[in-house]
Amino acid sequence: MGGACIAAHLRKSPQRMHVTHAYLLFAFIFVVIFGYRSFELRKDSNLAVTEAESASLKLKYATSIVAFSHAFSQDQKKGSDLEKNVKSSLQSALDTLEKGKEKSNSKTPDLELDTKLIIVKAEQKLSVKDDIEKMSKADPERARLLKAVLQEKSVSKKEAVSLKPLIETKVPSGWYSEVFDLEWTKALGDKKKHQEKLESFYERYFWYSMRIIIFFVFLAFVTLVGIITVGLQLFLLGRNSSRENDTINDHVTWSWQAVAATLLTWLSFTFLSSPLLKGLSITATQGERSALTLALSTMGLYLLQNLPALALVYFLAIKPGGMKLWSDQFKETFCITWKTPKRGPFGLVFMGFLTWACCFPFVLLASWAASGFGSHMSSNPIISEVVSSVKNMNVFAILAFTLTLGVIPALLEELLFRGFVYISLRKYLGAFLGIVLSAGLFSIVHMDQGSMLQLFSLGFVFAYGVEKNQSLIPSMVAHCLWNLTAFTMLLMMYA
């Protein structure tokens, strides 16, 4: 930051370029060192959470199989393929939970994870005696509850009075609490109530699986549209020799040094402020917080982290070039236009939908390639926070997360990475290298080691959308739709 300020004051001095280049070199080294450290710190940081949620999905899958067979009056006979599939899913979930426990960095026992393991083992009809005995040393009340319901399978009316209040605080939410509730009514000996709850349980999971199937059929259709669109683009690529898009960067007035200084200064600021932002994140998410509070906290932290980048674009590139915000020159430079020579507002929005559809085949291909390198799941902390909160969301929380995850990132990131970075790189390196490098920066800046190839493919498609349409509108629409699709998927699976 200091080097950038000095360089700004020495604008008319011969030493200006030397100071600027020295600062850029220093900032580059700083960003590489601290960027590597940040990657290492975030590597597998969400593994315990992602493994637990992965296990939850496997358990829901197993239950959905049973619910479907129950709905169509198919008995789960011993040794049948249906029973083997259910047992395999339960065992896979158990292995996933145990893997998460092994890789947990916590020095104290994770009682919630241990409770999940005990419930899954009990569902598989495995012995839970030793697990409950170990738990009794750390949490006697929790162990007493689990012992009565899952080990002894009998709860007297007198015991029920003292044990029932513990269920809400000691049993994990979601699938675990639903299964435990069934075992609770069974242990009470109320066969009629148990059967009623079992029927309701199967019905819920039948419609849960139907909802997931319909959603994925829709995504498959969108993917097919994307494949067709990509195919048409490849077919027409060599036939379209027009150079009309060369007018995109005619209004760029800043140098490549300004672009480098902006990005390196922003990343340096991000790394230097990360302890403060991490502290604020912990404060915002610790304890019992509503989903709405979490959404608003996430929005605030996102703005604190990303607004400085746009401020730097203004002070280091736009203002020194004599450009005014939201002037015609500004809009033309950043491709903020609702009308191009070929398309009007509706046409640009429609192209945004097609750009969104094109993201699916590219991301699927990137995911397949990433799996070949043994890539882990996403290490983005926002995902674990959203997953933990979607289970208890209301309409206001959903709207807040829609704004936080969909609208705001689409506006800010497209202005920065496509409006500023890509347009600038295109001027100095050409369209293809500009698309590739801007996509690479988009991927790296997210610092999500488990999703780097997927993020690169998204950045590539978004930048190509700007190149093809001469407007940021399609990429903003596509970016917003992509983030909201991911959010909707989390809602579908975990809510």
Side-chain angles (χ1 to χ4, degrees), residues 138-154:
D139 192 340
E141 286 190 333
R142 189 189 297 259
R144 186 164 65 94
L145 173 66
L146 296 176
K147 182 179 180 181
V149 177
L150 301 178
Q151 184 182 333
E152 297 175 349
K153 299 182 182 296
S154 177

Side-chain angles (χ1 to χ4, degrees), residues 294-367:
L294 183 61
L296 296 175
S297 302
T298 304
M299 183 192 300
L301 290 169
Y302 179 86
L303 292 173
L304 280 174
Q305 192 171 18
N306 290 279
L307 281 179
L310 295 180
L312 287 167
V313 170
Y314 174 73
F315 286 110
L316 296 181
I318 296 173
K319 190 177 179 181
M323 191 183 298
K324 293 183 179 180
L325 283 177
W326 298 112
S327 63
D328 290 340
Q329 184 186 8
F330 174 86
K331 292 176 183 177
E332 289 172 359
T333 303
F334 283 82
C335 292
I336 306 172
T337 176
W338 284 93
K339 190 175 181 181
T340 66
K342 286 187 175 182
R343 296 178 182 89
F346 291 107
L348 291 174
V349 171
F350 178 71
M351 292 305 295
F353 276 90
L354 288 182
T355 304
W356 167 62
C358 290
C359 291
F360 285 89
F362 277 93
V363 170
L364 286 173
L365 188 62
S367 299

Side-chain angles (χ1 to χ4, degrees), residues 394-406:
N394 54 32
V395 175
F396 296 107
I398 290 173
L399 290 174
F401 267 115
T402 298
L403 189 63
T404 302
L405 302 177

Side-chain angles (χ1 to χ4, degrees), residues 89-105:
S89 298
L90 289 172
Q91 185 59 48
S92 178
L94 184 62
D95 294 341
T96 303
L97 286 171
E98 288 177 340
K99 180 182 175 183
K101 185 177 179 179
E102 287 174 8
K103 295 197 175 183
S104 175
N105 295 322

